[in-house]
Amino acid sequence: MTGLVSSIGDDQWTLPTACADWDVRAVVNHLAHGNAKVAFWAGSGPPAPDDDYLGAAPVPAFAASVAAARAVLAEPGLFERKVSTPLGELPGVFLVHMRVNEYLAHGWDLADATGASTDLLPDLAEGALEQWRSRFGSAPRPPGGPFGPEVEAGPGATAADRLAAFLGRKAVSG
């Protein structure tokens, strides 16, 4: 993900994304905010306020947020112990699943918006798609929720494209 973010050009930070009301910078900031929340959810840091996590230097700020999240996720015993998550008390390994899913979904948003390849980590994207399909199935997705109704992925779609389509993402790039 840091490679994708570091490839964002100065003129691309304000491009629209498939996330309604979020431009490229807002998506990257959302990811950095999620990285900051990892320490809180793991019980090793304060709550992460809804702030600007990128400042004047978004690429290094994002990279620092990734490094901080990785440090928390590498804590001995984290995977086995219970942590607080938005879905309740779960094994710490769930935090890894949350970050991977966020990185894949929003990585697709960033790649699509900036014209980068959306062929992101095919095996991981395929596994995430299977996980989302089992989690959501055909459950309704109300307006204003984090995911829209499934859309058509189209012929030749990558695994990440199919994941994005399942999550209701529509390409904004040509």
Side-chain angles (χ1 to χ4, degrees):
M1 181 58 68
T2 54
L4 182 59
V5 170
S6 67
S7 70
I8 297 170
D10 291 341
D11 61 338
Q12 294 180 311
W13 290 95
T14 58
L15 291 174
T17 70
C19 292
D21 302 324
W22 282 0
D23 63 10
V24 167
R25 190 180 197 288
V27 170
V28 175
N29 190 65
H30 170 75
L31 289 169
H33 181 228
N35 289 337
K37 286 181 177 179
V38 167
F40 174 68
W41 290 325
S44 60
D50 290 331
D51 282 337
D52 177 12
Y53 287 84
L54 303 179
V59 171
F62 179 74
S65 80
V66 170
R70 281 183 181 164
V72 171
L73 295 173
E75 290 175 0
L78 175 70
F79 288 9
E80 295 79 28
R81 72 177 164 85
K82 295 286 185 185
V83 298
S84 295
T85 76
L87 301 176
E89 295 286 317
L90 293 167
V93 72
F94 186 76
L95 295 177
V96 174
H97 293 283
M98 286 175 54
R99 296 317 305 141
V100 167
N101 283 323
E102 283 276 301
Y103 286 168
L104 284 169
H106 291 306
W108 184 91
D109 296 330
L110 295 172
D112 172 63
T114 62
S117 172
T118 59
D119 192 12
L120 307 172
L121 304 166
D123 292 339
L124 198 56
E126 196 65 53
L129 177 57
E130 289 175 29
Q131 186 180 60
W132 280 109
R133 284 192 190 283
S134 70
R135 181 177 296 151
F136 276 133
S138 59
R141 302 181 198 176
F147 309 111
E150 184 173 3
V151 297
E152 179 71 32
T158 68
D161 292 335
R162 292 191 313 277
L163 173 63
F166 179 76
L167 297 175
R169 304 293 210 270
K170 295 177 186 174
V172 295
S173 63

